[in-house]
Amino acid sequence: MGMDTSFDTQHRKRLSLSYDRLIGYVLAKARENAGRSQCAVARLFGCKQSLVSKMELGQRSIKVSELPLLALALDIPEQELRSLLLAVLDLTEDKLLSLLAALEADDIAL
């Protein structure tokens, strides 16, 4: 009796996408708290506005090497940005899915 590896792979992919979505939400809130538009962040980050949008939607992962410049573009100390992102990654699967469901229902604000 073998394990269903396709289910496991699909589950991990869905979970990874969920983390990316929540990280994107955190980035969007940090940008809004800084009073900056996606265009302004893109200009400071050195990219197109569409890339910032993809990051905020969880459609594009953030590279560790991008954190210093992203923090500057978001007007947030780099260590604070790292802490926020690590807090998302430290969430249990149940807590992550619960937060995403609440965000989709517009029940909470981070």
Side-chain angles (χ1 to χ4, degrees):
M1 189 182 239
M3 290 180 43
D4 184 356
T5 55
S6 66
F7 171 79
D8 189 44
T9 301
Q10 291 171 354
H11 179 72
R12 279 187 302 212
K13 186 174 181 178
R14 277 194 306 275
L15 193 57
S16 177
L17 291 172
S18 296
Y19 280 106
D20 287 343
R21 284 179 56 212
L22 191 54
I23 286 171
Y25 181 82
V26 168
L27 291 177
K29 287 299 173 186
R31 177 183 56 75
E32 291 169 5
N33 288 342
R36 295 196 171 154
S37 66
Q38 286 184 344
C39 289
V41 169
R43 192 170 41 258
L44 292 164
F45 189 60
C47 69
K48 293 182 179 181
Q49 176 272 330
S50 60
L51 181 67
V52 174
S53 177
K54 286 179 182 178
M55 287 179 174
E56 290 184 2
L57 293 171
Q59 297 171 350
R60 200 273 201 175
S61 297
I62 301 160
K63 299 172 186 163
V64 173
S65 61
E66 296 172 330
L67 288 177
L69 191 53
L70 186 58
L72 182 66
L74 294 170
D75 194 29
I76 184 173
E78 182 183 347
Q79 191 55 45
E80 187 175 335
L81 180 59
R82 285 179 184 269
S83 295
L84 286 169
L85 299 180
L86 287 173
V88 170
L89 295 174
D90 282 343
L91 292 172
T92 64
E93 181 178 345
D94 289 341
K95 185 66 174 170
L96 170 70
L97 297 176
S98 173
L99 277 171
L100 282 173
L103 287 172
E104 288 173 358
D106 210 19
D107 287 342
I108 63 168
L110 294 180

